[in-house]
Amino acid sequence: MPSVLDASAAIRECRLDPASLVRDCIDSIKSTNQSLNAFGDLYEEAALEQAREMAREARVGRVRGPLHGVPFGIKDLFYTQGLRTTRGSLTALDFVPERDAPIIRRLKQAGGIILGKTATTEFGWTGASTSRVFGNGRTPWDPRLTSGGSSSGSAIAVAARMVPAALGSDGGGSVRIPSAFCGTFALKATLGRIPTWPWSATEMLSHAGPITRTVRDSALLFDVLSGPDALDHQALPAPQASYLAACEAPLVPLRVAYCRTLFDVAVDPQIAAAVDAAVSQMREELGVVVEEIHLDWQDPVRIFETLWAAGRGIAYGKTLADRLDLLDPGFARLIEGAGRFDLEQYLDASRARAQFSNQVQQLFEGYDLLLLPTLPVLPFSADAVAPPGFERPDSLVPWAAWTPFTYPFNITGNPAASIPCGVSREGLPIGLQVVGARHQEGAVFNLCAHLEAINPWEQRIPDL
């Protein structure tokens, strides 16, 4: 399966037939999807018809954009005009949007082909990969284990070579969690970098973006997908420089901080060793000056729980209160428990969010980037919602207990990427998180591209 950049170049130069690429993707999906649960709806004939048309256009020198003829998986949360969008819920199996989300419109305008919808947890509510609609998501490296969520299907599809890339979203870690468990690259950018629509009850936390096998593929997609849109009042101005160019530029001198953990959370020794090794390699082979630090931040989990549970629970509770039996049990509990929050608590959480964000931004007055593990745990059973020792049955957001390094940067809006940095004894991927100052995606891409060059992951392929 070629990368997005390789496929795009080969199609433009008529060295690769997009219809052949689509057929290869379909064959890959059909051979492995049943055991991994990455895809829901698959648009075989429509995708092949588009691919044939784009092949004809390429032969006469007409190219729609930098993604001309490249097939993609689309997380089944994004609105797609005329195509069912289940949002991972039995309550929305018949929902067909009347217009595309901005990210979908831009993908199409750049020549991308929608091959199918990828699995998501119910309304993207959890970091696990359980699903009543798609089946529980499983990492291609060991199908007994979870892929992580909520962009479970997109990470599985990319890691298993079903598609060159896929789109996901991240409200508390939902592209970084499955990327760490599946061995893919994902960047949750600064809030508003890629426009989101429709409105979300947790819009202050919600980000959209790609999941890819390489850093440069992600940068290309950010170049295509970023920029303002009238539908998103939080959308940022267009970037002043290309992110792909940032990947190809020499390594920029950086002030880098390394924190082994946050909030005194115990990190699995294998993860700690892999991240340590990656940081040492960065120092030795790239000459990056890295300072190890300890951060005395207070865990903002109560802030996150209030914003997440009150926002989603109350919003969805208005329409689903009489259909709780159809919902994921954890999501049903969230809806039932959301009523315990009052306006004063919500405003207090919003104020605390601003204070925590200010504290995090102070770190980036002295450093350009922060390094830490993406997750403190390795993949656990695909049928579980938490690894042993991290269960929080009393919480409305129980998955936050084992994702303490991802959701803080949704609260603050900082760009944060997960890049594979090593493997466990069992061959499971381990993710390194690279966090930048707000609006500094270019610095994150620059370092990640150089890290990938000395520690390439593309050559690692799960035994399917």
Side-chain angles (χ1 to χ4, degrees):
M1 183 67 60
S3 69
V4 176
L5 278 165
D6 288 345
S8 176
I11 289 169
R12 284 197 309 271
E13 298 165 8
C14 297
R15 293 183 287 106
L16 175 62
D17 177 6
S20 175
L21 177 57
V22 168
R23 281 192 292 269
D24 287 345
C25 290
I26 292 170
D27 290 344
S28 178
I29 293 167
K30 289 185 174 181
S31 68
T32 57
N33 193 56
Q34 188 172 359
S35 61
L36 300 177
N37 299 322
F39 272 89
D41 292 343
L42 194 61
Y43 313 118
E44 296 181 48
E45 291 306 317
L48 284 168
E49 182 178 345
Q50 290 179 59
R52 295 185 191 105
E53 175 61 24
M54 291 187 185
R56 290 190 289 268
E57 291 173 353
R59 286 195 291 270
V60 297
R62 182 188 168 202
V63 176
R64 301 185 190 186
L67 307 179
H68 186 91
V70 180
F72 289 83
I74 307 297
K75 185 179 183 179
D76 204 14
L77 281 183
F78 292 115
Y79 278 28
T80 46
Q81 182 180 17
L83 301 175
R84 183 173 71 145
T85 300
T86 73
R87 292 172 284 181
S89 179
L90 296 174
T91 67
L93 295 181
D94 298 323
F95 175 64
V96 179
E98 296 181 356
R99 65 190 302 182
D100 284 328
I103 194 172
I104 301 301
R105 185 174 67 248
R106 290 180 181 178
L107 187 83
K108 290 180 176 179
Q109 289 171 345
I113 296 173
I114 296 177
L115 182 55
K117 291 296 194 70
T118 56
T120 176
T121 60
E122 190 148 34
F123 299 109
W125 89 276
T126 175
S129 61
T130 53
S131 173
R132 292 185 171 191
V133 173
F134 303 100
N136 297 346
R138 301 170 184 276
T139 175
W141 302 90
D142 185 342
R144 298 170 298 178
L145 306 178
T146 181
S147 64
S150 66
S151 304
S152 52
S154 291
I156 297 166
V158 173
R161 273 58 175 180
M162 296 180 185
V163 284
L167 300 184
S169 60
D170 190 314
S174 289
V175 296
R176 289 163 289 156
I177 296 165
S179 284
F181 282 171
C182 292
T184 54
F185 178 82
L187 168 68
K188 178 206 74 66
T190 304
L191 182 65
R193 178 61 63 208
I194 294 176
T196 61
W197 177 87
W199 175 84
S200 165
T202 52
E203 66 171 2
M204 76 294 288
L205 304 171
S206 299
H207 305 65
I211 295 178
T212 61
R213 294 204 313 272
T214 72
V215 177
R216 285 174 171 79
D217 276 358
S218 181
L220 169 66
L221 288 165
F222 267 93
D223 282 346
V224 169
L225 301 172
S226 297
D229 190 282
L231 290 175
D232 183 2
H233 70 97
Q234 298 185 114
L236 297 174
Q240 296 183 346
S242 162
Y243 296 124
L244 184 57
C247 291
E248 296 170 347
L251 183 63
V252 176
L254 296 167
R255 301 165 300 171
V256 179
Y258 170 38
C259 192
R260 293 174 181 268
T261 185
L262 293 177
F263 322 126
D264 295 323
V265 173
V267 176
D268 183 286
Q270 295 186 71
I271 295 175
V275 173
D276 274 347
V279 172
S280 296
Q281 186 182 27
M282 200 180 303
R283 287 185 174 118
E284 295 166 6
E285 298 187 34
L286 296 179
V288 176
V289 177
V290 182
E291 180 182 347
E292 186 170 337
I293 64 172
H294 173 77
L295 294 168
D296 60 358
W297 300 340
Q298 294 297 307
D299 188 350
V301 64
R302 296 305 176 196
I303 302 171
F304 183 76
E305 182 178 58
T306 302
L307 297 175
W308 190 263
R312 291 189 172 231
I314 293 173
Y316 285 109
K318 288 183 177 181
T319 57
L320 299 176
D322 59 346
R323 309 178 73 187
L324 297 184
D325 59 312
L326 295 176
L327 301 178
D328 176 290
F331 190 57
R333 284 194 298 273
L334 183 146
I335 289 176
E336 291 175 319
R340 74 188 193 199
F341 296 99
D342 58 27
L343 180 58
E344 183 178 1
Q345 290 172 304
Y346 192 84
L347 290 175
D348 284 345
S350 297
R351 185 183 303 110
R353 171 179 175 254
Q355 293 170 344
F356 179 71
S357 296
N358 291 341
Q359 185 179 21
V360 172
Q361 302 327 312
Q362 289 174 11
L363 171 72
F364 290 101
E365 292 179 1
Y367 299 97
D368 299 299
L369 297 173
L370 169 66
L371 308 177
L372 69 162
T374 304
L375 295 169
V377 298
L378 292 166
F380 48 90
S381 169
D383 300 321
V385 296
F390 284 84
E391 301 91 346
R392 283 185 59 194
D394 59 325
S395 172
L396 297 181
V397 192
W399 54 271
W402 55 271
T403 61
F405 307 154
T406 59
Y407 63 77
F409 303 110
N410 291 81
I411 291 174
T412 65
N414 289 75
S418 181
I419 182 170
C421 70
V423 293
S424 71
R425 287 188 296 269
E426 295 78 18
L428 299 172
I430 292 170
L432 167 70
Q433 189 168 201
V434 182
V435 185
R438 284 185 296 197
H439 313 296
Q440 298 302 314
E441 288 83 3
V444 176
F445 274 124
N446 181 257
L447 179 63
C448 286
H450 285 274
L451 181 59
E452 184 178 62
I454 62 171
N455 185 22
W457 184 266
E458 175 73 359
Q459 63 192 5
R460 299 179 185 266
I461 302 174
D463 183 6
L464 300 172

